[in-house]
């Protein structure tokens, strides 16, 4: 089975703009006037004959409302399970500041994370003090306890479970009401140099961390001998779903990234062959010409894997040469905003000596230099994706698709229809 990346992603990504609220149901069902005038009965007889019909209409309206409510609840559950019951990267550890708290946004919620020098591990919580809602990220980490201290009134909180450990304004003999004073701690795991956060509490879910899902977000070769990787990240002015679809679309590379990482002359048909079925959790596929597919489980030539809702890895296996992995995490920050984490992995052990030496040299260059070069790739299509999202949202807000387009774009739209 072969299909385009955009078609595959459209069956998987659940966009919030496509979720419509249920219709309102009136308190009374209105009986059509024709039903009253049809039979020559007395007013009392007419009322008696009409009431069962009215009750049926009310019951039907109630049942419809119940079905819509159930459907909405199921949609919300699906959205929460896909977007909330997963792990999100907060930062590459090599770029994280261990001397003070850091802040970020995940699923529209402010998150603070910090290094606990006592427990010698990373911790995270909602970036909101339960006392007066001050941002905890503006505070400090207590060097003796590893707790985070609110900058407003000095309350301190434990990173492991959010317990409030000190309220300076309270008498020492008094007991802290943890139900009201605790912060919302978030489970954190360090894996392959990335600080991960389990996001269930961000969607008000009590689900415990699922480490099997974290395993699915890893590239096993990272950290092994003969493997080198380069990491970088950036905030982008687009929705994470727009970005993810772009990453799954290799056909844009020769044109959008002409003279950056590709050439227009390299444009041509691209095939993807699915391995298994498309599921809510994502899909795996083999890419390349049909003659390189091999067996059903073969990855000759490379492949693309999508792990919903934010992870894409594209691997290329060169014949009699090295392999490379392009690993991407598109973290949804807010509507129209996301943070992109990129990890480029190369198998230097399979390279010739001059090429291997060159790659090791490049990967040892100062970080500011690699940012200048790598971010140029992102600049190539930023303007496309940002404007694409604006146009898409404006069309979703349009009451009717049959309305005439604006005069400035009408001629172009009509010419496209003629094509």
């Amino acid at each position: 089975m072969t299909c385009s990346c955009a078609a595959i992603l459209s069956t998987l990504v659940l966009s919030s703009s496509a979720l419509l609220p249920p219709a309102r149901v009136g308190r009374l069902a209105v009986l059509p006037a024709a039903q009253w005038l049809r039979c020559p009965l007395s007013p009392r007889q007419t009322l008696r004959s009409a009431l069962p019909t009215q009750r049926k209409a009310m019951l039907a309206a109630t049942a419809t409302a119940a079905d819509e409510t159930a459907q909405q609840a199921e949609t919300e559950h699906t959205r929460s399970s896909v977007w909330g019951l997963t792990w999100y990267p907060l930062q590459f550890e090599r770029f994280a500041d261990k001397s003070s708290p850091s802040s970020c946004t995940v699923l529209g919620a402010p998150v603070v994370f910090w290094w606990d020098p006592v427990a010698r591990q990373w911790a995270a919580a909602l970036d909101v003090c339960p006392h007066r809602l001050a941002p905890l990220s503006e505070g400090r980490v207590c060097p003796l306890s590893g707790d985070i201290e609110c900058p407003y009134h000095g309350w301190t909180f434990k990173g492991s479970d959010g317990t409030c450990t000190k309220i300076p304004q309270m008498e020492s003999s008094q007991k802290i009401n943890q139900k009201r004073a605790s912060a919302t701690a978030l489970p954190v795991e360090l894996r392959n140099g990335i600080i991960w956060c389990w996001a269930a509490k961000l969607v008000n879910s009590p689900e415990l961390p699922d480490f099997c899902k974290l395993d699915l977000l890893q590239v096993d070769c990272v950290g092994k001998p003969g493997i080198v990787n380069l990491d970088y990240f950036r905030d982008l002015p687009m929705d994470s779903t727009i970005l993810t679809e772009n990453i799954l679309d290799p056909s844009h590379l020769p044109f959008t990234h002409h003279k950056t990482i590709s050439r227009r002359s390299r444009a041509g048909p691209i095939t993807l062959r699915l391995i298994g079925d498309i599921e809510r959790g994502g899909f795996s596929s083999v890419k390349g010409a049909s003659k390189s597919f091999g067996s059903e489980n073969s990855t000759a030539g490379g492949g693309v894997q999508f792990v919903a809702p934010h992870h894409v890895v594209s691997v290329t296996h060169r014949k009699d040469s090295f392999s490379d992995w392009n690993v991407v995490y598109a973290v949804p920050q807010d509507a129209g905003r996301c943070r992109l984490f990129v990890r480029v992995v190369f198998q230097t052990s399979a390279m010739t000596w001059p090429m291997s030496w060159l790659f090791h040299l490049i990967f040892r260059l100062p970080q500011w230099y690699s940012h200048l070069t790598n971010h140029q790739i992102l600049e190539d299509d930023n303007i496309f994706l940002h404007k694409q999202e604006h146009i898409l949202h404006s069309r979703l807000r349009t009451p009717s698709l049959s309305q005439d387009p604006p005069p400035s774009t009408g001629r172009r739209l009509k010419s496209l229809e003629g094509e």
Side-chain angles (χ1 to χ4, degrees), residues 9 12-14 81-88 213 216-217 244 279-283 305-312 330:
L9 185 65
L12 291 165
V13 176
L14 185 60
S81 63
V82 171
W83 291 98
L85 303 187
T86 188
W87 296 83
Y88 288 100
K213 290 187 175 182
L216 295 176
L217 301 172
T244 304
E279 299 176 350
R280 181 182 298 173
F283 68 88
Q305 182 182 17
F306 171 61
V307 180
H310 63 80
H311 174 48
V312 179

Side-chain angles (χ1 to χ4, degrees), residues 320-338:
D320 301 325
S321 185
F322 67 95
S323 300
D324 68 78
W325 295 259
N326 188 33
V327 186
V328 174
Y329 306 99
V331 179
Q333 293 182 312
D334 216 329
R337 292 174 51 239
C338 68

Side-chain angles (χ1 to χ4, degrees), residues 393-401 403:
H393 283 192
S394 65
R395 290 185 178 182
L396 290 174
R397 289 193 296 266
T398 302
S400 174
L401 296 178
Q403 291 181 347

Side-chain angles (χ1 to χ4, degrees), residues 51-343:
L51 282 177
T53 305
Q54 187 174 11
R55 282 198 295 269
K56 290 179 181 179
M58 295 179 67
L59 290 174
T62 303
T64 301
D67 291 341
E68 291 177 350
T69 302
Q71 184 177 3
Q72 185 184 25
E74 183 179 357
T75 300
E76 290 294 334
H77 175 74
T78 300
R79 187 198 308 194
S80 298
S81 63
V82 171
W83 291 98
L85 303 187
T86 188
W87 296 83
Y88 288 100
L90 300 179
Q91 186 55 279
F92 292 112
E93 188 182 31
R94 61 178 299 197
F95 301 140
D97 185 1
K98 289 187 176 182
S99 64
S100 62
S102 301
S103 63
C104 62
T105 303
V106 180
L107 296 177
V111 174
V112 58
F113 60 98
W114 70 96
W115 173 254
D116 184 338
V118 177
R120 301 196 60 79
Q121 63 185 16
W122 291 95
L126 278 181
D127 194 12
V128 177
C129 178
H131 177 211
R132 296 291 296 277
L133 309 181
L136 297 175
S137 57
E138 295 296 326
R140 71 183 186 105
V141 179
C142 302
L144 299 180
S145 63
D147 299 341
I148 190 169
E149 181 183 277
C150 177
Y152 201 0
H153 294 89
W155 292 26
T156 59
F157 306 93
K158 189 177 293 294
S160 58
D161 56 7
T163 300
C164 182
T165 55
K166 184 178 70 173
I167 298 179
Q169 298 79 15
M170 180 178 286
E171 297 287 346
S172 58
S173 59
Q174 293 180 289
K175 185 178 180 180
I176 298 176
N177 184 348
Q178 294 297 338
K179 186 175 181 180
R180 298 181 59 188
S182 294
T184 303
L186 304 174
V188 173
E189 183 78 7
L190 179 65
R191 187 80 65 88
N192 288 333
I194 300 178
I195 305 169
W196 298 89
C197 168
W198 176 250
K201 291 184 180 179
L202 301 183
V203 293
N204 299 318
S205 172
E207 290 287 333
L208 296 177
D210 187 342
F211 291 96
C212 292
K213 290 187 175 182
L214 182 58
D215 294 339
L216 295 176
L217 301 172
Q218 309 304 311
V219 177
D220 296 335
C221 63
V222 174
K224 293 184 178 180
I227 300 292
V228 297
N229 63 275
L230 179 67
D231 301 332
Y232 61 96
F233 72 99
R234 181 174 177 174
D235 291 346
L236 296 174
M238 66 200 67
D239 193 80
S240 64
T241 56
I242 298 290
L243 176 62
T244 304
E245 184 178 26
N246 176 69
I247 297 168
L248 282 167
D249 173 21
S251 61
H252 80 283
L253 297 179
F255 298 96
T256 304
H257 301 289
H258 175 64
K259 293 186 177 181
T260 306
I261 56 175
S262 188
R263 294 289 188 274
R264 294 190 185 99
S265 58
R266 298 179 184 175
I270 298 177
T271 57
L272 285 177
R273 183 178 181 182
L274 289 173
I275 301 176
D277 298 326
I278 299 177
E279 299 176 350
R280 181 182 298 173
F283 68 88
S284 296
S285 65
V286 174
K287 64 179 180 180
S290 58
K291 63 181 180 181
S292 67
F293 284 158
S295 63
E296 187 66 23
N297 296 324
S298 171
T299 56
V304 176
Q305 182 182 17
F306 171 61
V307 180
H310 63 80
H311 174 48
V312 179
V313 56
S314 177
V315 57
T316 301
H317 299 299
R318 295 168 180 82
K319 186 177 180 181
D320 301 325
S321 185
F322 67 95
S323 300
D324 68 78
W325 295 259
N326 188 33
V327 186
V328 174
Y329 306 99
V331 179
Q333 293 182 312
D334 216 329
R337 292 174 51 239
C338 68
R339 173 166 289 185
L340 172 69
F341 291 91
V342 179
R343 168 166 282 175

Side-chain angles (χ1 to χ4, degrees), residues 374-392:
N374 291 327
H375 286 267
Q376 177 58 44
I377 301 172
L378 299 178
E379 291 295 340
D380 288 342
D381 45 19
N382 265 357
I383 187 65
F384 301 155
L385 303 182
H386 182 64
K387 290 192 174 183
Q388 177 192 86
E389 182 175 17
H390 274 270
I391 295 173
L392 177 63

